[in-house]
Amino acid sequence: MKNFLSVEDVKDVQKLLKKAFKIKKNPFEHAHLGKNKTIGLVFMNPSTRTRLSTQRAANNLGLNVMVMNMDKEGWALETQEGIVMNQNTVEHIKDAAAVMGRYCEIIGIRSFPKLVDKQEDYSEDFFQKFIKYAKVPIVSLESATLHPLQSFADLITIEEYKTKERPKVVLSWAPHIKPLPQAVANSFSEWMQKADVDFIITHPQGYELDKKYTGATPVIHNQEKALKNADFIYVKNWSSYAEYGKVLSLDGGWMLTNEKLKITNNAKVMHCLPVRRNIELSDEVLDSEHSLVVEQAENRIYACQTVLKEILQKNF
Ligand code: SN0
């Protein structure tokens, strides 16, 4: 693996999954692989699970970790080419990325979309420039459009908890008070299409995701119909892609409740966290046996460790 930005960077998802289970069973098998090597984690936005699980994964491989909260402690970065920097940005990404590439063997980056200009966000300009100038492998810690380490952890979790060969997995939109990225939903859709599952998406009209990521996945606007016989329900809010970055619905009827779980196949409920309780998901579901949110979060370590190990071993 040169970079890990999307499921497209993975040659064989099933093989990678097997490697993740091996690592989970024996997390310190490669404790010296990262000796004398350093991973830098660059955050342009907040993070809890991604930050901690990546540090833990790196530690398990013997890597040194440097964390840069660029949004709070770094110089404001300019991304435009040829610009006269007489405004608020202090340093050009080409200079900052080039320097970080000399300090680190691997760099992880989190950079959310601004949710104003679709073209700008979906071009992944920030990541592309970092790759170009840092010249070391780049791992996405959530980009404007995708969150592959989350999706890989989600796949590991589904594999662990499935009770049949080919479970039904439903991505169900949930309400939220503010506009959120489409990244988690885009990414989950990409990974589910490479998994041995029956995958469908349910959301209100106007919340269609970019077809580039959902492909031929069926979309049902009636949530109740979609949830019928579901084995896994992945709950997530995202803002509109068509009316870019807008909140089109605040309909509380889309929140998952125990009542709605009755029509499922005793479904397990997933969410990447952080979750707005009693807006996206009810307490009764989150605090019940149905919830897998903590298990998912734990698997973030093994998803990340598998990817870092592959990069260190130059296995891609
Ligand atoms: C991010 C998102 O992409 O939806 C990160 C998820 C891993 N979530 C948020 O920004 C939640 C913010 C909030 O106010 O609830």
Side-chain angles (χ1 to χ4, degrees), residues 275-289:
V275 65
R276 298 281 187 129
R277 281 177 174 254
N278 303 312
I279 294 187
E280 295 177 81
L281 260 170
S282 59
D283 278 338
E284 59 176 14
V285 173
L286 275 167
D287 297 333
S288 77
E289 293 293 301

Side-chain angles (χ1 to χ4, degrees), residues 110 112 142 147 176 178 180-181 184 236 272-274 276:
R110 162 161 291 191
F112 286 175
E142 189 171 347
H147 195 359
H176 200 289
K178 68 180 216 203
L180 295 194
V184 171
K236 183 73 185 84
C272 61
L273 303 178
R276 298 281 187 129

